Amino acid sequence: MKSKNVFALIIIFIILFSGCQNKEINVYNANGLARDENGSPIFPEKYIGLSVYGKNGEEIIYEMFIDFDYKKDISVADLSKDMCRELNIPIVFAGMGSLVYVQGINGLFEFDYGAESGWLYAVNGEFQGIGCGDYVLKNRDYVEWYYTLDLGKDVGNDFGIK
C-alpha cells in the first residue's frame, strides 16, 4: 500500500511540475549586429537583449540577447534573472511581484558606495519609472542595467530633478 502512495505522489509531482519549466534559453552575443543612431544593437526579429554596467561603466554583461519566445509576458526582472543565471552571474532581488527590485548584481549591491548608490534600468535607452517586475518586454526590447553612485545623475538619469 505504501509503495502505491509513493508512486501516486511521484506521478502527481511530475504532472504538476512538468509544465512549470521554461524552454531552454540560448544566449547570443550581439557582436556584428547592425546599430541604431545611438549605437545600440538592433536585435533580430523575435529577440530581446540585455547589458549590465557596474560601477564606472564596467561591463558585467555586454550586449547579449535571447529568443523572445522562450517565455510569455517576460518582465525586466525575469529576463535579468534568467540571463544572469544562464551566464553564471549572481543577481539578488528583494521584494516580490510589482515591488521586486535588484539589490545586487555580480557582488555589487545597493548602498555599497553610499546612500545614493544602487541599480537602475533603461529599456531602449529610456530609464523607466516603474519596477522591473512590472515592465513587460516586447519584441526587440533592449534592457540596460546601470549601477549609479549618485541617484542616477552619473549614468544619465536625473528623474527630472534640476
Side-chain angles (χ1 to χ4, degrees), residues 46-58:
K46 295 194 175 193
Y47 284 86
I48 50 179
L50 176 81
S51 288
V52 178
Y53 304 99
K55 183 179 172 219
N56 299 321
E58 169 204 359

Side-chain angles (χ1 to χ4, degrees), residues 72-105:
K72 189 168 180 79
D73 297 326
I74 187 168
S75 68
V76 169
D78 289 337
L79 171 68
S80 304
K81 175 186 62 147
D82 292 350
M83 291 276 278
C84 283
R85 182 184 312 136
E86 192 70 20
L87 297 168
N88 294 316
I89 295 171
I91 186 168
V92 178
F93 292 91
M96 56 193 315
S98 63
L99 300 176
V100 70
Y101 68 97
V102 170
Q103 281 187 313
I105 301 174

Side-chain angles (χ1 to χ4, degrees), residues 140-152:
R140 288 187 164 168
D141 276 346
Y142 178 43
V143 176
E144 295 170 287
W145 282 99
Y146 296 92
Y147 189 79
T148 178
L149 302 173
D150 191 18
L151 291 177

Side-chain angles (χ1 to χ4, degrees), residues 16-32:
L16 287 175
F17 292 101
S18 63
C20 294
Q21 296 179 358
N22 295 323
K23 294 181 198 175
E24 181 179 321
I25 65 172
N26 294 311
V27 179
Y28 306 96
N29 190 296
N31 280 347

